[in-house]
Amino acid sequence: MGKRVDQRVIKALFLITILFLGINNVSAVQWDVGAGQLYTTIQSAIDNPNTVDDDIINVYSGTYTEDVTVNKKLTIQANSGDEVEIQATNTGFTVVNDTTGDGSGSTIDGFKINNSATGTGINISADNCTVKNNEISGGATGIAVSGADTTLVDNVITGQSETGILGNLTGGFFTVSGNTLSNIIGGTLANGITVSTNGSVTDLNITGNTFSNINALGVNGSVFVIQLGKSKGGDGNPEVANITNLIVTKNMISGIHSNIAIMGMELVTSSVNALITENELSDLEAGSGSSVYALEAAIIGNGTVVVAKNQISQVTADEQAVGIVAVALGDLKLNNNLVSGISNAKAAVGILGLGLFNNATLENNSVSDITSPSIAAGIVGTALQHLNMFYNTVMGVNGAQDVSMVTAGFNTTTINGNNLEGDGSGIGIVICSFNGTINYNRIVNFDSYIQNFLFSSFGPSIDEMLKPIDDAIKNHPELEPILKPIRDDLDKLFHELENSNTTATYNWYGTNSPDAAKFFEGNGTLNYYPWLVLNINADPSTINTGQSSTITADVYHDVEGSDHSADASLFFSGPQVTFTTNLGNVGSKSVAVQWASGLATAILRADEGPGIATVTAADYQTVKTMVTILGESGTSKSEVNAQTVGMQNTGIPLAGIVLAILMVFGGFISTRKKQ
């Protein structure tokens, strides 16, 4: 009997517990707004004393001419499937945390908001709000945020005269994902997303947004498509946005035009870690006297900065045009980026990576079609500690003065597996490093293959650069105790920079006999012997009609005969070897094959009857081999050893490139919008 009582007690307690929990989990109330509903305006539904935190304001089809203030924690939504339009006088929705109440935690979902000429679609000064699935058109600004922990998802923002999304964040996180911003047409300024911080933001995530047709039509017009860190004026450096973790990925930017300046992405933050990946930027064009930086990141934190898999194309400016500029205090990794089609500017650069205090690695990047009437550079890498340049491809850098790769690792520099091809003039690699190694690269069709850095080769000499200090000491002897130590320190530094010691063995130069005049040691040392040579081989060298032979070209042997095939993983890949044959086919009579780790392969098919096939492989240098093709009787056999043909010398020494790069970097920190 006692056992039965215990069971009844337990059941009673269980039911009481369920009842208690049910009482304390009252469902949110939905208040309906629209023709024939309890409320005819959104504001009246919010203001009703019976509407409390966590309630839902559900709005039916119609046009609502009102500016809505949200001062409770509410979900305000368009009824599913309905078209709900807000005609705003000043601001469509204002979400506040002030003396009238707290709208923190609110959601605005599914409205069409039409702004007045100077208005704002949604203005949020509360925290922890979500804005999603809205269409915001017209006005000066689409969405303004001055709170913390805000999420903006899948909104369409179009037709503003100043800014699509404006943030002055106080903390927490800020997520901007899947939004479409277009047709933002301004005078002096036109901005897609502009974010500054008024506090410490832990996480900022800008992902999967699309930007198009953003133009600044004024005489001094500037466009900032994605900007973190507010500019201080035309001649001032930008403020640093206080953001701990930064992710900017999978955004698409196209059709951006202005008269003076374009920043596709300007990311200036104090982030400990930054991930800037898989963004696509194209068709950025500015007018006379202009500068365009497609992707500019200056991350002033001590973590790792990754700039990877971004695609930049069709960048046009008058003064300076740069595909990617990445500056990091911590380790910098620039990987798998594709930059092409930078043109017109007096100084044009594909990629510039700068590791201010630590290491920088630029790997598997591709740069092509960088053209300038004056200065053109493909990839520029700099690191205070160790600089690694691995497996990059640079093609088609053309200017009155041009260089495919500039490298400055002030501790050590390692340059392996890069594929650099010029147009018969210009410089392949300029290196400034106390301890530089250049191995297993393809450096072809240049006037100068490798140059150690020397100031006088690229502009003023050291004495000329120090002359202003010397003149000041001469004219003001009383300043000598102050100026002389500075002058001596600079003199020592400049001379140290000129003492590059470079080991450049085992590279392929497009010729089996490179011209010594195409190597410049400056005030340091440059050892480029032994170099790699091109060979060809047929296996087998005798086949019957209808059979095939594998033809391989490789640069695995150096001029001394040593075999480097064991280091194949360190070799270059990419364009290209051309195979030809006079008998049979290698796909046709001629086929172009990409290098793959220093090796290229074609198949000779004996489909034209017996004879001697002369098969050639050409990468500027041409080598050949013979394949005997037998008929049914198999009566002839012949093998011919590979032969070589020298390469012509073209071009003249170039000058001015390093100062131009400094000019570009100077532009990076000075081309700013006016507020």
Side-chain angles (χ1 to χ4, degrees), residues 42 64 66 68 84-88 92-93 111-114:
I42 301 169
Y64 298 81
E66 55 180 314
V68 179
V84 181
E85 183 174 328
I86 307 296
Q87 290 284 357
F93 288 92
F111 293 92
K112 297 183 71 172
I113 303 171
N114 296 319

Side-chain angles (χ1 to χ4, degrees), residues 102-421:
D102 185 1
S104 295
S106 292
T107 297
I108 310 295
D109 181 4
F111 293 92
K112 297 183 71 172
I113 303 171
N114 296 319
N115 287 340
S116 64
T118 59
T120 299
I122 299 175
N123 191 346
I124 301 172
S125 57
D127 297 337
N128 196 30
C129 294
T130 299
V131 177
K132 61 181 181 178
N133 304 315
N134 300 283
E135 297 180 18
I136 303 170
S137 61
T141 302
I143 300 174
V145 177
S146 57
D149 299 325
T150 305
T151 301
L152 310 179
V153 181
D154 297 335
N155 301 285
V156 176
I157 301 169
T158 184
Q160 284 69 43
S161 61
E162 293 180 7
T163 304
I165 296 173
L166 177 64
N168 183 18
L169 309 178
T170 59
F173 65 83
F174 188 48
T175 298
V176 183
S177 177
N179 301 281
T180 299
L181 295 88
S182 64
N183 303 318
I184 300 174
I185 312 298
T188 302
L189 291 174
N191 306 309
I193 296 176
T194 296
V195 174
S196 58
T197 55
N198 185 24
S200 180
V201 176
T202 56
D203 298 274
L204 194 148
N205 190 327
I206 300 177
T207 301
N209 303 283
T210 300
F211 305 82
S212 62
N213 194 31
I214 301 179
N215 303 328
L217 304 178
V219 175
N220 296 315
S222 298
V223 173
F224 294 74
V225 182
I226 299 178
Q227 183 189 40
L228 309 182
K230 188 176 179 182
S231 291
K232 288 186 174 180
D235 299 322
N237 294 329
E239 296 175 356
V240 177
N242 189 3
I243 299 165
T244 304
N245 300 301
L246 173 66
I247 297 176
V248 180
T249 184
K250 296 182 180 179
N251 300 285
M252 297 184 67
I253 296 173
S254 64
I256 312 301
H257 303 90
S258 79
N259 282 318
I260 291 299
I262 294 174
M263 297 288 180
M265 294 185 181
E266 184 189 51
L267 314 175
V268 184
T269 79
S270 60
S271 301
V272 174
N273 295 295
L275 184 66
I276 304 163
T277 64
E278 299 182 70
N279 301 287
E280 297 183 21
L281 297 89
S282 65
D283 188 18
L284 281 64
E285 181 178 2
S288 177
S290 64
S291 295
V292 176
Y293 292 78
L295 196 167
E296 173 191 288
I299 311 301
I300 316 301
N302 58 6
T304 299
V305 177
V306 177
V307 181
K309 299 182 181 179
N310 301 286
Q311 296 185 32
I312 315 292
S313 63
Q314 296 175 265
V315 177
T316 304
D318 182 45
E319 291 294 332
Q320 302 165 16
V322 183
I324 298 175
V325 177
V327 181
L329 260 64
D331 288 338
L332 173 63
K333 296 182 178 180
L334 270 160
N335 303 329
N336 298 290
N337 299 287
L338 176 62
V339 177
S340 64
I342 297 179
S343 60
N344 289 6
K346 297 179 180 65
V349 179
I351 296 175
L352 171 60
L354 176 60
L356 287 179
F357 292 145
N358 283 356
N359 309 314
T361 298
L362 287 75
E363 184 171 2
N364 286 319
N365 300 289
S366 178
V367 173
S368 62
D369 300 324
I370 311 298
T371 61
S372 168
S374 183
I375 306 300
I379 299 178
V380 181
T382 302
L384 187 68
Q385 293 298 320
H386 306 288
L387 174 65
N388 299 313
M389 307 285 280
F390 297 151
Y391 311 113
N392 302 286
T393 298
V394 181
M395 304 280 171
V397 177
N398 299 298
Q401 301 178 75
D402 58 70
V403 59
S404 284
M405 185 172 283
V406 179
T407 63
F410 295 110
N411 192 332
T412 61
T413 300
T414 304
I415 305 170
N416 281 348
N418 300 281
N419 191 340
L420 314 178
E421 184 168 350

Side-chain angles (χ1 to χ4, degrees), residues 313-634:
S313 63
Q314 296 175 265
V315 177
T316 304
D318 182 45
E319 291 294 332
Q320 302 165 16
V322 183
I324 298 175
V325 177
V327 181
L329 260 64
D331 288 338
L332 173 63
K333 296 182 178 180
L334 270 160
N335 303 329
N336 298 290
N337 299 287
L338 176 62
V339 177
S340 64
I342 297 179
S343 60
N344 289 6
K346 297 179 180 65
V349 179
I351 296 175
L352 171 60
L354 176 60
L356 287 179
F357 292 145
N358 283 356
N359 309 314
T361 298
L362 287 75
E363 184 171 2
N364 286 319
N365 300 289
S366 178
V367 173
S368 62
D369 300 324
I370 311 298
T371 61
S372 168
S374 183
I375 306 300
I379 299 178
V380 181
T382 302
L384 187 68
Q385 293 298 320
H386 306 288
L387 174 65
N388 299 313
M389 307 285 280
F390 297 151
Y391 311 113
N392 302 286
T393 298
V394 181
M395 304 280 171
V397 177
N398 299 298
Q401 301 178 75
D402 58 70
V403 59
S404 284
M405 185 172 283
V406 179
T407 63
F410 295 110
N411 192 332
T412 61
T413 300
T414 304
I415 305 170
N416 281 348
N418 300 281
N419 191 340
L420 314 178
E421 184 168 350
D423 62 355
S425 63
I427 306 170
I429 297 175
V430 172
I431 182 168
C432 176
S433 182
F434 306 133
N435 185 6
T437 302
I438 304 174
N439 292 148
Y440 303 125
N441 303 279
R442 179 178 182 262
I443 310 168
V444 302
N445 204 27
F446 292 99
D447 173 66
S448 179
Y449 297 128
I450 300 174
Q451 290 194 11
N452 280 341
F453 175 71
L454 191 66
F455 281 104
S456 59
S457 295
F458 304 103
S461 68
I462 293 176
D463 287 342
E464 288 172 329
M465 289 189 293
L466 294 174
K467 188 174 185 301
I469 300 179
D470 291 336
D471 290 344
I473 293 173
K474 180 180 179 180
N475 296 329
H476 301 279
E478 71 278 8
L479 296 178
E480 182 172 358
I482 298 173
L483 296 179
K484 184 64 164 57
I486 297 174
R487 194 261 186 216
D488 292 343
D489 286 345
L490 287 173
D491 183 65
K492 180 181 178 181
L493 173 63
F494 290 158
H495 279 93
E496 286 178 349
L497 290 175
E498 288 192 337
N499 292 329
S500 293
N501 296 307
T502 306
T503 300
T505 52
Y506 316 135
N507 296 291
W508 167 241
Y509 299 106
T511 172
N512 286 347
S513 302
D515 185 354
K518 294 191 174 187
F519 300 90
F520 179 71
E521 66 181 16
N523 290 337
T525 61
L526 174 57
N527 178 22
Y528 61 91
Y529 180 88
W531 53 82
L532 300 175
V533 295
L534 179 64
N535 294 288
I536 188 171
N537 180 63
D539 183 23
S541 60
T542 300
I543 58 177
N544 292 318
T545 301
Q547 294 181 333
S548 63
S549 175
T550 300
I551 312 298
T552 57
D554 69 70
V555 288
Y556 287 153
H557 292 80
D558 64 42
V559 71
E560 292 183 332
S562 297
D563 184 354
H564 299 272
S565 57
D567 293 329
S569 63
L570 301 178
F571 275 72
F572 61 86
S573 297
Q576 107 183 355
V577 178
T578 301
F579 291 95
T580 64
T581 183
N582 67 331
L583 183 64
N585 76 81
V586 286
S588 60
K589 290 298 181 184
S590 176
V591 63
V593 177
Q594 301 282 295
W595 286 107
S597 298
L599 178 74
T601 303
I603 302 298
L604 173 67
R605 294 177 173 83
D607 58 2
E608 293 182 341
I612 305 296
T614 301
V615 185
T616 66
D619 183 10
Y620 293 92
Q621 175 78 58
T622 300
V623 293
K624 65 182 179 180
T625 189
M626 304 297 187
V627 177
T628 299
I629 301 174
L630 303 177
E632 291 183 1
S633 60

